[in-house]
Amino acid sequence: MMLGSVWDDIDFYMQVGLELPDVPIMDAVMTIPLTSRLDLRAGQMKTPFSRERLRAYSHQPFMERSLAASLELRRSQGAMLHARSGNGAFETYLG
């Protein structure tokens, strides 16, 4: 896993999948802040359609894990806007 910043405001994240020879790069994402509450994310990433997909397994209670979720990678290539409220209580994705 590699993560860091370029030009002090563009963040990047890359995760290599060593266990799957067909998918050498699992995630490769760049995040560009447009305003203090709006970001543009582009690359190959987990699709943010369920809580189970967004949270890491280490932060997810065992009872909320599904066996079916581990059968698919569910990663997509594209771009999306990520907006959040001032206090971080509300987030939305469009893309």
Side-chain angles (χ1 to χ4, degrees):
M1 178 174 68
M2 286 183 5
L3 66 116
S5 295
V6 181
W7 296 295
D8 295 329
D9 56 351
I10 299 174
D11 296 329
F12 68 89
Y13 171 80
M14 187 169 138
Q15 181 178 355
V16 178
L18 299 176
E19 67 277 1
L20 299 172
D22 298 342
V23 186
I25 296 176
M26 294 181 69
D27 292 321
V29 182
M30 288 183 61
T31 303
I32 303 167
L34 302 175
T35 68
S36 62
R37 296 181 186 162
L38 183 67
D39 297 331
L40 174 66
R41 293 183 183 179
Q44 179 170 310
M45 63 195 103
K46 292 181 184 178
T47 52
F49 297 125
S50 70
R51 182 176 168 184
E52 191 172 68
R53 285 284 159 211
L54 288 175
R55 297 178 79 188
Y57 278 132
S58 59
H59 297 284
Q60 189 168 354
F62 179 73
M63 296 302 288
E64 293 183 10
R65 296 181 190 178
S66 167
L67 293 175
S70 62
L71 299 176
E72 286 187 50
L73 290 177
R74 292 192 185 185
R75 284 169 165 77
S76 296
Q77 297 174 352
M80 69 178 168
L81 291 173
H82 171 235
R84 59 197 165 280
S85 63
N87 61 1
F90 177 75
E91 290 183 84
T92 187
Y93 296 89
L94 176 67

